[in-house]
């Protein structure tokens, strides 16, 4: 009879231990699932934000006889609106005065720029009086924000 009691006690202990281990494991799985769900929701939110953002940047293309084209392009996933190009250097002008870089007229603000599209701003450098670097501030609006800004330096020589 005492063997039966020991056997019952051991069986009850094994069942209790199995139940405790099951609940601990279940709790751990639920925590992991909660973290995974939070991570997935964060990723979805980030993707939705990225899909609303334009990314406006520039590149300088060398031409003949001191001509440079400042190519402004959108590599983002959303269209850019009201793009302003501001030349931050004091040696940039729009006429033939003593500036080192002459910028030809261009639409400002540039109203709309789709993803992977671009527009060009024609510039001319004075051969003997040109500068090495041009500093430009690009500002635009997109579906994510109305106050986007990117400052970029361009090597002209």
């Amino acid at each position: 009879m005492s063997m039966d009691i020991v056997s019952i006690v051991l069986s009850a202990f094994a069942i209790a231990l199995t139940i405790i281990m099951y609940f601990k494991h279940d709790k751990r799985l639920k925590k992991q699932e909660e973290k995974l769900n939070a991570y997935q929701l964060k990723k979805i939110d980030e993707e939705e934000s990225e899909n609303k953002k334009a990314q406006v940047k520039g590149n300088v293309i060398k031409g003949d006889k001191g001509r440079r084209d400042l190519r402004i392009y959108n590599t983002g996933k959303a269209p850019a609106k009201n793009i302003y190009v501001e030349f931050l250097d004091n040696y940039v002008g729009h006429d033939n005065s003593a500036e080192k870089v002459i910028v030809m007229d261009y639409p400002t603000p540039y109203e709309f720029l789709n993803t992977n599209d671009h527009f060009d701003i024609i510039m001319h450098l004075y051969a003997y009086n040109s500068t090495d670097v041009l500093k430009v501030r690009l500002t635009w609006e997109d579906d994510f924000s109305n106050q986007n800004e990117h400052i970029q330096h361009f090597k002209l020589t």
Side-chain angles (χ1 to χ4, degrees):
M1 180 109 164
S2 68
M3 213 41 163
D4 290 338
I5 294 174
V6 170
S7 202
I8 292 172
V9 168
L10 284 177
S11 294
F13 179 72
I15 290 171
L17 188 60
T18 301
I19 291 171
I20 290 169
M21 292 303 289
Y22 169 79
F23 283 115
K24 278 187 175 184
H25 182 70
D26 187 53
K27 185 177 180 181
R28 190 177 321 130
L29 282 178
K30 285 182 180 175
K31 278 185 180 179
Q32 287 177 341
E33 187 175 318
E34 196 175 293
K35 285 181 181 179
L36 184 59
N37 287 341
Y39 175 76
Q40 287 174 332
L41 288 173
K42 181 181 172 188
K43 280 302 225 184
I44 290 169
D45 288 344
E46 287 173 357
E47 279 182 31
E48 286 177 359
S49 294
E50 281 301 311
N51 288 337
K52 294 179 181 180
K53 291 181 182 179
Q55 186 60 47
V56 178
K57 294 184 179 181
N59 195 13
V60 171
I61 301 168
K62 286 185 180 183
D64 292 335
K65 299 179 185 175
R67 177 179 166 158
R68 301 290 185 269
D69 289 354
L70 177 58
R71 178 158 291 171
I72 306 298
Y73 55 93
N74 178 8
T75 60
K77 294 184 178 182
K81 297 169 260 188
N82 298 322
I83 301 125
Y84 286 92
V85 179
E86 181 184 357
F87 295 91
L88 300 177
D89 299 308
N90 59 2
Y91 44 79
V92 174
H94 293 278
D95 58 22
N96 289 326
S97 59
E99 288 86 6
K100 297 177 183 180
V101 179
I102 300 298
V103 177
M104 305 310 287
D105 288 335
Y106 61 93
T108 184
Y110 197 85
E111 287 186 37
F112 194 81
L113 191 60
N114 278 316
T115 299
N116 297 322
D117 279 352
H118 70 271
F119 67 94
D120 292 339
I121 298 172
I122 298 170
M123 303 179 298
H124 293 281
L125 307 180
Y126 286 107
Y128 302 105
N129 199 19
S130 65
T131 183
D132 288 341
V133 177
L134 182 67
K135 187 175 178 182
V136 174
R137 176 184 297 133
L138 303 165
T139 57
W140 69 93
E141 300 172 2
D142 56 28
D143 293 338
F144 185 76
S145 173
N146 287 335
Q147 296 178 334
N148 299 292
E149 177 180 285
H150 179 69
I151 295 177
Q152 200 167 350
H153 295 82
F154 301 100
K155 189 162 178 68
L156 296 176
T157 56

